[in-house]
């Protein structure tokens, strides 16, 4: 796997002169944030050696190099999910490649179901922590040399970046909530009983991504900031049937606000 990671990183380096230290992972329905980026080069995943290919609607499947907030950035327009049949090593392969490319800061985004009774559809949630409910751990197996065998996760989401996001949101008058993200394997949306369980355990939102990528990023020493868009509610009395298309629609509606926050954070911190 390490040889493949290095081969992929070498291919990317040979095809672009940009050397960003910031990366962005755009989740379900959030791929249009790429329109905020001054694109220099675009590489379809299918053209990149060893890269998986996204199979989910709303995930375009391109690696973008460009500028955002005046800084060079790398953006994944579409991610890979455990429920697609990929192993955890494949799901987190791009993060390993990012490390080889010199990425130091990772911004992750996703669409999620809110379990906090104070949340509403369309809320932007800054992720303060997560709970891992995936059946396979992304660090299972031989330890990679990028970090210790037993990495600390007391600060999975960088406190300094969280503070900066709060400051920017206040300055711009952008309302947000904060909470704990629960990562599950999917692909089914949760039952009412499962939503209730996740809330009892301390989760504020639940989704099918992000946690594996964050764990591997932290193992690599990459600092992380995460945003969830609340696209449906798993609150008793407010649970309704939900479709993937509805999730995409809700996410699209608040993309400009999320883009505003991320652009300013990158401008000030990276």
């Amino acid at each position: 796997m390490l040889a493949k990671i290095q081969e992929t990183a070498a291919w990317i380096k040979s095809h672009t002169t940009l050397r960003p230290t910031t990366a962005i992972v755009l989740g379900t329905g959030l791929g249009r944030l790429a329109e905020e980026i001054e694109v220099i080069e675009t590489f379809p995943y299918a053209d990149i050696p060893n890269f998986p290919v996204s199979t989910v609607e709303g995930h375009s499947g391109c690696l973008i190099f460009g500028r955002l907030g005046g800084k060079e950035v790398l953006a994944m327009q579409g991610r890979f999910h455990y429920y697609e049949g990929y192993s955890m090593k494949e799901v987190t392969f791009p993060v390993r490649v990012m490390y080889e490319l010199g990425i130091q800061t990772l911004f992750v985004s996703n669409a999620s179901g809110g379990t906090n009774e104070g949340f509403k559809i369309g809320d932007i949630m800054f992720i303060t922590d997560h709970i891992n409910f995936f059946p396979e751990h992304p660090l299972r197996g031989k330890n990679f040399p990028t970090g210790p065998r037993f990495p600390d996760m007391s600060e999975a989401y960088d406190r300094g970046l969280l503070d900066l996001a709060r400051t920017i949101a206040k300055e711009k008058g952008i309302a947000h909530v904060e909470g704990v993200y629960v990562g599950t394997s999917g692909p089914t949306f949760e039952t009412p009983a499962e939503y209730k369980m996740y809330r009892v355990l301390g989760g504020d939102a639940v989704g099918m991504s992000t946690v594996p990528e964050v764990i591997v990023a932290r193992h690599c020493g990459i600092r992380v900031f995460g945003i969830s868009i609340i696209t449906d509610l798993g609150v008793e009395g407010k649970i309704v049937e939900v479709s993937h298309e509805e999730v995409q629609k809700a996410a699209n509606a608040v993309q400009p606000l999320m883009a505003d926050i991320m652009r300013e954070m990158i401008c000030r911190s990276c």
Side-chain angles (χ1 to χ4, degrees):
M1 180 64 79
L2 183 57
K4 288 185 176 181
I5 292 167
Q6 292 172 339
E7 177 190 5
T8 301
W11 184 92
I12 293 171
K13 286 180 180 178
S14 72
H15 284 74
T16 178
T17 58
L18 297 187
R19 295 293 183 264
T21 59
T22 300
I24 307 168
V25 178
L26 302 171
T28 299
L30 302 171
R32 284 198 290 176
L33 177 62
E35 295 175 6
E36 299 288 330
I37 299 172
E38 178 194 345
V39 177
I40 307 300
E41 283 131 353
T42 300
F43 304 109
Y45 293 161
D47 293 348
I48 304 173
N50 308 311
F51 239 64
V53 178
S54 181
T55 65
V56 182
E57 185 180 350
H59 291 251
S60 297
C62 290
L63 197 65
I64 296 170
F65 283 80
R67 294 183 179 86
L68 183 66
K71 304 293 179 66
E72 292 184 356
V73 297
L74 179 164
M76 285 185 66
Q77 194 173 17
R79 54 153 57 92
F80 312 111
H81 302 81
Y82 188 70
Y83 63 72
E84 293 177 78
Y86 295 117
S87 69
M88 276 299 178
K89 284 184 171 54
E90 290 173 314
V91 168
T92 58
F93 183 85
V95 180
R96 294 289 185 194
V97 172
M98 288 176 188
Y99 172 80
E100 293 292 330
L101 293 174
I103 296 300
Q104 299 174 10
T105 305
L106 176 63
F107 291 79
V108 292
S109 64
N110 59 60
S112 62
T115 59
N116 187 315
E117 57 276 3
F119 289 3
K120 63 183 183 299
I121 292 175
D123 276 345
I124 295 173
M125 185 185 89
F126 297 165
I127 304 176
T128 58
D129 206 344
H130 70 230
I131 299 172
N132 183 12
F133 257 88
F134 283 90
E136 180 186 350
H137 198 283
L139 300 184
R140 180 176 178 269
K142 185 178 179 180
N143 187 48
F144 273 79
T146 58
R149 170 76 279 188
F150 304 105
D152 177 72
M153 290 296 289
S154 61
E155 192 176 339
Y157 301 85
D158 189 86
R159 296 190 187 106
L161 292 174
L162 270 168
D163 285 340
L164 178 59
R166 292 167 183 141
T167 297
I168 291 169
K170 184 177 181 180
E171 289 175 358
K172 293 180 173 292
I174 298 175
H176 77 281
V177 295
E178 299 184 11
V180 175
Y181 177 85
V182 181
T184 68
S185 63
T188 55
F189 292 110
E190 291 68 32
T191 68
E194 288 169 338
Y195 276 129
K196 186 175 182 179
M197 176 189 70
Y198 294 138
R199 182 57 181 155
V200 168
L201 291 175
D204 295 287
V206 58
M208 306 171 195
S209 66
T210 302
V211 170
E213 296 148 314
V214 172
I215 289 173
V216 169
R218 294 303 301 129
H219 184 254
C220 293
I222 298 171
R223 60 180 186 161
V224 177
F225 174 76
I227 285 184
S228 288
I229 306 300
I230 306 302
T231 53
D232 60 283
L233 294 176
V235 177
E236 193 169 0
K238 298 181 181 179
I239 300 174
V240 297
E241 184 177 344
V242 63
S243 69
H244 185 69
E245 291 72 23
E246 289 170 326
V247 167
Q248 288 181 281
K249 183 178 179 181
N252 283 336
V254 293
Q255 278 195 71
L257 299 178
M258 186 185 74
D260 206 9
I261 293 170
M262 283 193 173
R263 186 193 311 107
E264 191 64 24
M265 288 184 72
I266 289 169
C267 179
R268 298 190 195 184
S269 68
C270 302

